[in-house]
Amino acid sequence: MAEQPAAGLTETLVGFGRELRSAGLPVGTGEVMTLCAAMDPLDPTDLLDLYWGGRATLVSRHDQIPVYHDVFLRYFLDAPGDAPDPARPFTPPQLREARSALQLPETERLGREREEERAPLGLVASDVGTLKHKAFAACSTEELAALRRIMRTVRLTPPRRRSRRTVPTRSGRRPDLRRTVREALRTHGDPAVLLWRERRLRPRPLVLILDVSGSMADYSRALLQFAHVTTRATQRVEVFCFGTRLTRITHELRHRRPDDALDRAARTVVDWEGGTRIGASLDTFVREHGRHGIGRGGLVVICSDGLDRGDPALLESALARLARLSHRIVWLNPHAGTGLAPSWAMAVAAPYIDAERSARDLAGLEEFARTLAALG
């Protein structure tokens, strides 16, 4: 039979259980007796054994770990001075070693931190409809963070087109002679049914060209978040940013975590919140990327307020070539529907774009996501 803990250690463990109970953990006499029994095969003078023995027997829920950790450090390691304490029979070297070894991982500090986050989120969730219709430029930092979390739930259906390849189907216009003959062999050459094929549907290429100039500072990060959601919905998507020059950020936005993806994209774009040259940037896209097939027959979405400082003739020629290259051009404008007079760039672009949508708030982006499939 294993030896029972010494009387001094038992008194120490009883005092520890009393401290845990005062901190809100459901630790009673039965739990303390279980801890005493658990210390039989362990070294009662080893603080690490004592820490993990108590954590295994006194903690029943994950959110109790931070409370247990804080009480243990305060009760055993925060004794003033290095003089021996009769209630805590540990030497100063043991205390110093335990202080350096007992570090709670950040993934386990989710008790009170998570509860503190739930309160503001609950208030925001109770008024989601109002928040969705609030302009990005008027949102506080907390509201923008809540909108980014809501935006992750947006579901996009990419536009589709009929390819030249065909697939088997139950009905159609093109007979599937090979399958029909194969089925007829089962009936000694008499065709019992006529099988069909139809052209396969494939997602159209989707190209997002985002304005990250100074005039779009209040909307740029929200639009990048939306672009990240789009890259998660389909593989046939390309994302570009422009201010005074064009930068491809498709690879950076492929990261699974939105915050990491946006940070990597922001480091890649060197002209963030600078000037605006829409015409030059679109001309670069057509000449350097369009010639390699990016956007050919696809849907091109330009996200900009249209405040261009470049050459109107260059913008018109770039849009004319882009209209011939792509299937549809959609312009997402944060000022659309606000009553503001359109800029000269929007007047130049009007003959070449197929639709103009609002990018002022999350409701506008959700409306665009719902109508995305119809644009194909």
Side-chain angles (χ1 to χ4, degrees):
M1 181 176 179
E3 297 182 1
Q4 296 296 324
L9 179 61
T10 302
E11 182 180 353
T12 300
L13 298 182
V14 170
F16 180 46
R18 188 181 301 112
E19 291 292 327
L20 290 173
R21 187 164 55 253
S22 300
L25 295 189
V27 177
T29 305
E31 286 76 13
V32 175
M33 293 179 62
T34 303
L35 174 59
C36 292
M39 293 305 300
D40 287 347
L42 303 177
D43 184 0
T45 63
D46 190 335
L47 275 170
L48 294 182
D49 283 359
L50 182 59
Y51 174 87
W52 289 106
R55 180 162 159 175
T57 56
L58 305 179
V59 175
S60 57
R61 291 168 50 187
H62 189 273
D63 57 0
Q64 296 174 354
I65 295 177
V67 179
Y68 171 85
H69 185 83
D70 294 341
V71 172
F72 186 92
L73 296 183
R74 184 175 66 250
Y75 185 78
F76 288 105
L77 304 183
D78 289 348
D82 286 335
D85 188 344
R88 300 168 179 82
F90 305 106
T91 63
Q94 290 176 322
L95 296 176
R96 288 193 293 270
E97 180 182 357
R99 286 192 187 99
S100 61
L102 292 177
Q103 298 291 333
L104 188 65
E106 290 297 326
T107 55
E108 294 181 345
R109 288 196 173 273
L110 298 177
R112 284 167 292 185
E113 290 86 345
R114 182 173 290 175
E115 292 179 1
E116 292 174 357
E117 291 179 357
R118 285 175 183 167
L121 284 182
L123 295 176
V124 173
S126 65
D127 203 8
V128 171
T130 302
L131 191 59
K132 286 183 178 181
H133 289 84
K134 189 173 184 178
F136 294 125
C139 291
S140 64
T141 303
E142 293 77 10
E143 290 173 332
L144 287 175
L147 284 174
R148 286 196 293 270
R149 287 189 287 269
I150 298 173
M151 197 179 297
R152 297 175 191 175
T153 64
V154 175
R155 293 294 178 263
L156 293 93
T157 303
R160 297 178 177 272
R161 65 176 179 86
R162 294 187 180 275
S163 67
R164 295 180 180 179
R165 295 181 178 273
T166 60
V167 293
T169 182
R170 293 188 177 185
S171 61
R173 295 184 177 181
R174 180 177 301 181
D176 190 342
L177 298 180
R178 179 177 297 178
R179 291 176 59 221
T180 301
V181 171
R182 187 182 299 115
E183 290 295 327
L185 293 178
R186 299 181 180 180
T187 58
H188 303 285
D190 296 329
V193 293
L194 184 60
L195 303 178
W196 304 89
R197 297 184 70 85
E198 67 177 1
R199 295 172 65 179
R200 185 176 62 179
L201 293 176
R202 294 189 61 192
R204 285 190 179 275
L206 182 62
V207 180
L208 301 178
I209 305 178
L210 311 179
D211 186 349
V212 294
S213 61
S215 61
M216 289 286 292
D218 294 329
Y219 306 94
S220 299
R221 192 166 182 87
L223 292 175
L224 276 176
Q225 173 79 38
F226 182 74
H228 181 265
V229 173
T230 305
T231 60
R232 308 300 299 177
T234 176
Q235 293 294 322
R236 304 196 66 187
V237 60
E238 293 285 346
V239 185
F240 297 82
C241 284
F242 73 89
T244 56
R245 69 186 206 180
L246 189 72
T247 305
R248 187 178 183 181
I249 59 170
T250 305
H251 178 71
E252 286 74 11
L253 291 185
R254 290 295 182 188
H255 200 282
R256 185 175 185 85
R257 296 185 59 184
D259 291 339
D260 293 344
L262 268 59
D263 290 341
R264 293 171 60 186
R267 289 193 298 267
T268 303
V269 181
V270 297
D271 55 345
W272 192 281
E273 297 188 6
T276 311
R277 297 188 180 275
I278 303 177
S281 301
L282 293 181
D283 184 70
T284 301
F285 171 77
V286 173
R287 294 180 182 276
E288 296 184 4
H289 301 281
R291 62 181 297 184
H292 297 296
I294 295 180
R296 187 180 303 278
L299 179 67
V300 177
V301 181
I302 303 173
C303 306
S304 174
D305 54 6
L307 301 180
D308 193 7
R309 299 180 181 178
D311 183 6
L314 181 60
L315 175 62
E316 184 174 11
S317 63
L319 283 171
R321 297 185 61 183
L322 185 60
R324 293 192 295 268
L325 172 72
S326 63
H327 177 69
R328 293 279 191 274
I329 299 179
V330 179
W331 198 297
L332 295 182
N333 191 339
H335 302 317
T338 60
L340 296 177
S343 62
W344 65 260
M346 296 306 301
V348 171
Y352 303 101
I353 63 177
D354 297 279
E356 183 179 4
R357 297 287 188 269
S358 173
R360 176 177 175 270
D361 48 32
L362 182 56
L365 296 180
E366 287 183 333
E367 178 64 24
F368 167 72
R370 283 192 296 269
T371 60
L372 184 62
L375 296 172

